[in-house]
Structure formats: structure tokens, C-alpha cells
Amino acid sequence: MIFISKEHERRYFEAIDFASEPDNDWLGAVYLITASERVFNALEPFIGDCYVDFDEVHFRAQNMFEVAIFNAAYDIYFGTDSITLSDLTFTDEIPDDALVAIANVLMYMRFGFDSGTAEVTELVA
């Protein structure tokens, strides 16, 4: 799997460690939630064994990265038929790291989450 940072990788494996029978929707949502420390800290209490209780979440994004990550995680978890860029953010600007994380999770949703070697790809400006 490809992560956007070492911290993303650490948070992801910490979050899925206890899962008994994870499905791709849950894994995909957790992958995106853990891409941001702030989003993860806000949603961690609502992540259970293979579920995310989005109904209880009261999260206010502070930047476009958080908006895109949170909205994509919500769409992935609830299995919406498609994710459009306009669903992810209120403007035309989506940060590169958010787009990389979203593209990665869409590939994992289609081809599966492997437990192989983790890889970190840090974006360089």
C-alpha cells in the first residue's frame, strides 16, 4: 500500500489492528480518515470494529485537504456510486496530497487491500 506519510501509515495500521472482519468500504474510509492527523483525532472515537459512526461525528474541516478527505471517506463508507470532485470540496482546488490519497483508495477499493509491504510517498513541492 502507498501512504502519503509515515504518520499516515502508522495511524492506518493502528486503526485497523483490532478489526475482526473488515470490508473494503470500512478499510477505504479508515485509509482516508487516517491520512490527516486532525481528521483521525476527531473521528477516532467513532471508529469501531468495522464501522464508522458518521451520524455522531461533529467535525469542522479547517482546510481543503480535510474537506476532501472527510467527504471522500464518507462517500466511500456509504458506497455512493461515484465520487465527483465537486462533492469533495466547495472550490475547484483540491490539494495534491488529498488527491493522491483519494486516488490510492479508489484503486484499493477496486483491486483490494493487500497486507504486503507498506510504501510511503511524500509529495515534494
Side-chain angles (χ1 to χ4, degrees):
M1 293 184 68
I2 297 174
F3 296 92
I4 61 172
S5 70
K6 280 296 214 185
E7 285 302 305
H8 179 204
E9 176 187 16
R10 182 192 59 75
R11 286 189 297 265
Y12 175 77
F13 285 113
E14 175 186 309
I16 69 164
D17 188 44
F18 63 88
S20 58
E21 295 182 32
D23 63 12
N24 280 354
D25 294 339
W26 183 77
L27 288 170
V30 170
Y31 175 89
L32 290 172
I33 290 166
T34 58
S36 163
E37 180 178 14
R38 193 168 169 285
V39 173
F40 178 62
N41 288 341
L43 273 70
E44 185 177 21
F46 307 103
I47 299 173
D49 183 8
C50 303
Y51 71 89
V52 180
D53 192 358
F54 277 101
D55 291 337
E56 296 298 318
V57 173
H58 301 288
F59 175 72
R60 183 173 210 135
Q62 290 186 340
N63 56 53
M64 295 319 293
F65 177 80
E66 292 175 358
V67 169
I69 291 298
F70 181 85
N71 289 347
Y74 184 91
D75 284 352
I76 290 283
Y77 184 74
F78 287 107
T80 53
D81 290 337
S82 62
I83 296 176
T84 65
L85 294 182
S86 61
D87 290 340
L88 300 178
T89 182
F90 300 114
T91 68
D92 294 333
E93 183 179 325
I94 296 179
D96 289 345
D97 47 358
L99 194 56
V100 166
I102 294 164
N104 286 343
V105 81
L106 293 174
M107 297 266 285
Y108 301 138
M109 297 292 294
R110 181 163 186 164
F111 299 109
F113 291 80
D114 67 353
S115 58
T117 305
E119 183 179 330
V120 175
T121 301
E122 304 237 10
L123 296 176
V124 179

